[in-house]
């Protein structure tokens, strides 16, 4: 079992804390491609160093071991925007605290993290293949309000937010889908 850091913004930290976020998607870098191997069958190719490619005949599962966030049973400690006093007591922006100075999440040390996640599954899929239930597991709820007769879905909210951040929804990139459960805090 390995332990790695992972960044989440305040909205996603709150969704993890309230139990509505149990998945995250991260863009695969580099992107896989479908290649024709000697005209016989299609394979998924994952580029590595230079022009070399790992070929996986019709087997996305074989690529799972390359996920930089980890594999099943590995742990992720959440990095979030925080502040700490001289006694190493932390306050977190996601909680609505308003201190005079914040430390960005990228600089959070392990000791300041309050959330540890255990990876329960890793898979690979195209971004646009996200289902309604997976979008809800990403922490995107379905608002009760209707806007001009349209009901927005969790998948729509995920798509809108993803495209606002990454601007690549229409490119439909390959993504790592990491499913997790929150590890209870030690008393």
């Amino acid at each position: 079992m390995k332990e790695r850091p992972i960044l989440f913004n305040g909205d996603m930290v709150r969704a993890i804390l309230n139990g509505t976020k149990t998945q995250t998607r991260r863009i695969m870098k580099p992107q896989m491609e479908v290649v024709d191997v000697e005209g016989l069958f299609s394979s998924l190719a994952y580029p590595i160093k230079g022009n070399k490619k790992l070929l996986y005949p019709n087997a996305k599962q074989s690529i799972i071991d390359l996920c930089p966030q980890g594999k099943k049973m590995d742990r992720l400690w959440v990095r979030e925007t925080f502040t700490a006093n001289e006694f190493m007591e932390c306050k977190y922006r996601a909680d609505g605290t308003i201190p005079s100075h914040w430390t960005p999440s990228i600089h959070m040390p392990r000791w300041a993290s309050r959330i540890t996640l255990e990876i329960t599954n890793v898979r690979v899929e195209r971004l646009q293949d996200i289902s309604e239930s997976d979008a809800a597991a990403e922490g995107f709820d379905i608002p009760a309000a209707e806007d001009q007769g349209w009901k927005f879905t969790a998948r729509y909210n995920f798509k809108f937010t993803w495209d606002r951040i990454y601007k690549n929804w229409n490119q439909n990139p390959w993504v790592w889908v990491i499913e997790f459960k929150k590890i209870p805090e030690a008393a």
Side-chain angles (χ1 to χ4, degrees), residues 83-154:
T83 189
N85 63 21
E86 63 273 11
F87 303 109
M88 298 174 87
E89 298 167 328
C90 296
K91 292 186 180 182
Y92 305 92
R93 182 182 242 170
D95 293 341
T97 308
I98 308 173
S100 59
H101 174 73
W102 287 113
T103 300
S105 56
I106 192 71
H107 298 299
M108 174 184 258
R110 175 64 179 108
W111 63 262
S113 177
R114 62 178 168 165
I115 304 171
T116 303
L117 309 171
E118 180 180 311
I119 297 174
T120 57
N121 190 34
V122 176
R123 66 181 191 271
V124 173
E125 69 182 25
R126 290 288 197 168
L127 177 62
Q128 292 179 16
D129 290 342
I130 189 170
S131 68
E132 183 68 19
S133 61
D134 282 346
E138 279 272 5
F140 289 84
D141 59 354
I142 303 166
E146 293 183 19
D147 180 49
Q148 299 178 358
W150 290 90
K151 290 185 179 179
F152 294 113
T153 64

Side-chain angles (χ1 to χ4, degrees), residues 13-136:
V13 167
R14 285 186 290 281
I16 290 169
L17 291 172
N18 73 27
T20 59
K21 183 169 181 65
T22 58
Q23 288 184 14
T24 189
R25 280 162 174 70
R26 304 295 162 120
I27 297 173
M28 289 183 79
K29 295 178 185 174
Q31 284 287 289
M32 289 192 306
E33 56 188 88
V34 177
V35 296
D36 185 30
V37 179
E38 298 177 11
L40 301 174
F41 58 88
S42 292
S43 292
L44 292 173
Y46 188 75
I48 58 170
K49 298 179 183 175
N51 290 333
K52 292 184 182 179
K53 294 179 183 175
L54 295 176
L55 291 179
Y56 295 97
N58 301 313
K60 286 188 241 181
Q61 190 60 38
S62 302
I63 295 171
I64 300 306
D65 292 336
L66 300 174
C67 180
Q69 283 75 34
K71 57 187 176 187
K72 191 173 183 177
M73 297 183 65
D74 283 352
R75 293 195 171 178
L76 302 168
W77 57 275
V78 174
R79 283 183 159 169
E80 60 179 300
T81 303
F82 77 107
T83 189
N85 63 21
E86 63 273 11
F87 303 109
M88 298 174 87
E89 298 167 328
C90 296
K91 292 186 180 182
Y92 305 92
R93 182 182 242 170
D95 293 341
T97 308
I98 308 173
S100 59
H101 174 73
W102 287 113
T103 300
S105 56
I106 192 71
H107 298 299
M108 174 184 258
R110 175 64 179 108
W111 63 262
S113 177
R114 62 178 168 165
I115 304 171
T116 303
L117 309 171
E118 180 180 311
I119 297 174
T120 57
N121 190 34
V122 176
R123 66 181 191 271
V124 173
E125 69 182 25
R126 290 288 197 168
L127 177 62
Q128 292 179 16
D129 290 342
I130 189 170
S131 68
E132 183 68 19
S133 61
D134 282 346

